[in-house]
Amino acid sequence: MIHVYRRHDVHPLSMLIITFTYIFVVASFHSYAFIEMMPLSLYPITMIVFYRLSIRHIKNILLASLPFITAIGVSQLFFIDERISFFHWHIEAGWLAFTTLVIKNTLAILAATVLFLTIPIEQLAGALLSLRIPRLLVIQLLLTYRYIFLFLEEAKRLRQAYMLRAPHHRAMKLSVWGSLVGHLLLRTFERAERVYEAMTLRGFSIQRMHIKIKRWTTKEMIYTFVIIGLFIAYRLVVI
């Protein structure tokens, strides 16, 4: 499970709106806005320092997402074939677009990571409901979040079983990946069904599932609008 760090209570709806606004602003910059986006890194860095989040935990998340970010960014090297002037140097535009895309994705992942590390998933579900998101969709997201950890737990058990049967192998061979993934999915589905049956026997019902919605105070509204106003103002100034 993800450990949630708490220092000061921030309304989940405020954090949710601020995070989505931040990601939208970051994504709105053009493909060569390498320098313009650097000041936006102050937000996730400030939140990490303020909440004293684990640098190692955040580093592991970034390293896990790095292959996907790199794979997406590499496409810029093939589709952009021009040279531009950058601080009196003439460089390939593809490399600048690649760097900008990596920074965009890194900042977005940092903001999302801060959100999930500071606000419990149940409170985020309540924030989504307060935004009039359909209840069925919110519960689906909540249960999917829970089942992700079942999937990871089964994957850990499967890897441990493989290493016990092949102690001389440092890693799993590529030739067995297909069958292992198939077994992993089947075991995860079976366990998910058992968990759902246990929940049903204990009286679980989507209609009666209670999700607490915290009251959004005027002070929290002002704080939220000030922060997103700063993001939008910076974006409008830097065009």
Side-chain angles (χ1 to χ4, degrees):
M1 297 290 288
I2 293 178
H3 177 69
V4 178
Y5 299 80
R6 289 185 179 180
R7 186 178 178 185
H8 294 282
D9 288 333
V10 179
H11 197 282
L13 184 56
S14 298
M15 286 293 296
L16 189 66
I17 294 176
I18 290 173
T19 302
F20 275 107
T21 304
Y22 177 82
I23 294 175
F24 177 78
V25 170
V26 168
S28 66
F29 280 89
H30 60 80
S31 300
Y32 306 140
F34 172 70
I35 301 298
E36 291 85 345
M37 286 195 305
M38 297 309 295
L40 290 174
S41 63
L42 291 175
Y43 169 71
I45 292 175
T46 302
M47 297 299 289
I48 290 171
V49 174
F50 181 76
Y51 283 101
R52 298 178 183 177
L53 303 181
S54 173
I55 302 299
R56 179 180 297 180
H57 194 170
I58 296 174
K59 181 189 71 174
N60 292 336
I61 294 175
L62 289 177
L63 289 177
S65 62
L66 186 61
F68 302 98
I69 297 175
T70 305
I72 296 173
V74 165
S75 63
Q76 305 294 322
L77 303 178
F78 298 99
F79 293 107
I80 300 179
D81 186 18
E82 60 177 337
R83 296 177 66 88
I84 61 174
S85 178
F86 183 73
F87 284 100
H88 305 292
W89 290 305
H90 294 283
I91 63 174
E92 295 290 339
W95 285 105
L96 188 58
F98 169 76
T99 304
T100 303
L101 187 60
V102 169
I103 292 176
K104 281 184 178 182
N105 284 274
T106 301
L107 293 178
I109 291 172
L110 279 176
T113 302
V114 168
L115 174 67
F116 284 105
L117 288 180
T118 54
I119 306 296
I121 187 63
E122 293 81 6
Q123 294 186 16
L124 288 177
L128 290 173
L129 287 178
S130 63
L131 291 175
R132 300 297 186 270
I133 303 297
R135 181 181 179 84
L136 183 61
L137 179 59
V138 173
I139 294 177
Q140 183 68 37
L141 291 174
L142 189 61
L143 294 178
T144 301
Y145 175 84
R146 296 300 186 189
Y147 283 132
I148 286 176
F149 296 100
L150 290 179
F151 181 84
L152 295 177
E153 187 177 342
E154 290 296 334
K156 184 179 179 180
R157 289 183 179 181
L158 195 63
R159 181 182 183 278
Q160 185 177 9
Y162 176 85
M163 299 307 295
L164 289 175
R165 288 170 174 78
H168 301 293
H169 296 169
R170 294 185 177 181
M172 293 183 290
K173 292 184 177 180
L174 292 176
S175 58
V176 301
W177 270 89
S179 60
L180 288 179
V181 170
H183 284 297
L184 176 61
L185 291 176
L186 290 176
R187 291 179 60 175
T188 305
F189 289 149
E190 290 175 358
R191 185 169 181 186
E193 288 180 358
R194 293 197 301 269
V195 170
Y196 180 74
E197 289 175 358
M199 293 167 60
T200 304
L201 291 175
R202 287 167 174 80
F204 171 79
S205 174
I206 292 179
Q207 290 75 20
R208 292 183 295 177
M209 185 175 179
H210 176 68
I211 300 177
K212 184 178 180 181
I213 301 177
K214 296 181 65 176
R215 181 174 174 270
W216 203 24
T217 64
T218 304
K219 182 179 179 180
E220 292 164 338
M221 291 182 187
I222 295 174
Y223 166 77
T224 304
F225 291 131
V226 167
I227 298 298
I228 64 176
L230 291 175
F231 291 154
I232 297 174
Y234 179 77
R235 183 63 187 93
L236 293 177
V237 171
V238 183
I239 299 179

